[in-house]
Amino acid sequence: MNADESFFPPRPTALAHELLEKIIRLGDTVVDATAGNGHDTLFLAAKVGEAGRVWAFDVREEALRATARRLEAAGFAARIALRHDSHERMADHLTEGSVSVVMFNLGYLPGGDHTETTEKESTLAALEVVVRLLMPGGALSIICYPGHEAGADEAAAVEGRMTRLAADGWRVARYQALGTRRPAPLLLIASKPQAS
Ligand SMILES: C[S@@+](CC[C@H](N)C(=O)[O-])C[C@H]1O[C@@H](n2cnc3c(N)ncnc32)[C@H](O)[C@@H]1O
């Protein structure tokens, strides 16, 4: 049997879902830090169920409208809290230790203005907030795009921060396709240590 290239190797977006769905429980509070067109928000909303809540952030109103439409069409509108805010300010909306999963998909809104992209400084600031918001045993995923200069710089900074989390006892991994013309998108995942 041949491995079909539509699923092997898995895209970082699909792999993130596969890994995180094992962690999310019905009723959880979770975060989509970069709502975009709402694909990850939809995945999260399906996993947390009716009693759960997905907080989704984006700096573009266009992205939040697209996410709202997608979630309404799926019948999940009541499970989401959309915020037109930068992800560095997540802690204004959520309490420490209350979140089981946070997802980031960096870069720009597909089909939107490519100049309005995530930026290294605010991404790193948001990561510091996530470290506090996650509950013990909770997890975060970040998809980075090192195929262009600013994306490579941002990816290196994120990877550096994730490496330091590993030194602090977090379980951290990095997945990336090899042999591509330009560096392929990479997925970083980390789970927070259980309270000792
Ligand atoms: C690659 S898209 C996300 C795709 C999305 N997860 C999906 O499933 O469709 C990246 C998004 O991050 C948003 N973004 C950029 N800077 C941001 C920030 N500081 N805070 C929150 N969102 C931001 C962009 O507007 C864009 O919509």
Side-chain angles (χ1 to χ4, degrees):
M1 182 176 156
N2 288 326
D4 179 340
E5 68 183 39
S6 66
F7 73 87
F8 189 88
R11 291 174 191 277
T13 43
L15 187 56
H17 291 185
E18 253 180 66
L19 298 171
L20 295 177
E21 73 181 358
K22 297 182 172 64
I23 295 171
I24 302 169
R25 299 275 174 264
L26 291 174
D28 276 2
T29 298
V30 298
V31 172
D32 185 348
T34 51
N37 286 317
H39 298 282
D40 293 325
T41 308
L42 178 64
F43 157 76
L44 291 167
K47 295 297 160 194
V48 298
E50 273 177 32
R53 183 66 89 242
V54 186
W55 289 77
F57 295 85
D58 208 291
V59 288
R60 295 195 61 155
E61 284 188 32
E62 188 191 347
L64 294 170
R65 279 197 297 273
T67 299
R69 276 198 303 274
R70 188 177 300 281
L71 275 285
E72 273 157 25
F76 293 161
R79 303 179 187 186
I80 57 167
L82 297 180
R83 290 295 176 270
H84 184 213
D85 206 350
S86 175
H87 38 225
E88 326 148 58
R89 286 188 285 277
M90 274 184 258
D92 294 353
H93 308 271
L94 292 147
T95 41
E96 263 182 44
S98 69
V99 175
S100 70
V101 159
V102 180
M103 300 185 76
F104 289 81
N105 186 351
L106 303 180
Y108 51 79
L109 181 66
D113 178 357
H114 291 196
T115 58
E116 216 167 341
T117 182
T118 54
E119 285 170 7
K120 181 173 83 175
E121 285 72 24
S122 46
T123 301
L124 289 176
L127 273 179
E128 294 316 312
V129 177
V130 169
V131 165
R132 299 197 312 272
L133 290 182
L134 279 179
M135 59 180 62
L140 78 116
S141 68
I142 309 185
I143 297 171
C144 305
Y145 295 88
H148 61 96
E149 203 178 315
D153 193 33
E154 185 180 31
V158 168
E159 200 173 329
R161 183 64 186 102
M162 299 288 266
T163 303
R164 289 200 303 283
L165 286 180
D168 289 342
W170 292 54
R171 280 177 291 153
V172 181
R174 174 191 196 279
Y175 302 92
Q176 184 181 33
L178 296 177
T180 52
R181 195 166 50 85
R182 286 192 290 180
L186 67 96
L187 168 66
L188 292 155
I189 54 158
S191 79
K192 188 169 179 169
Q194 296 284 352
S196 51

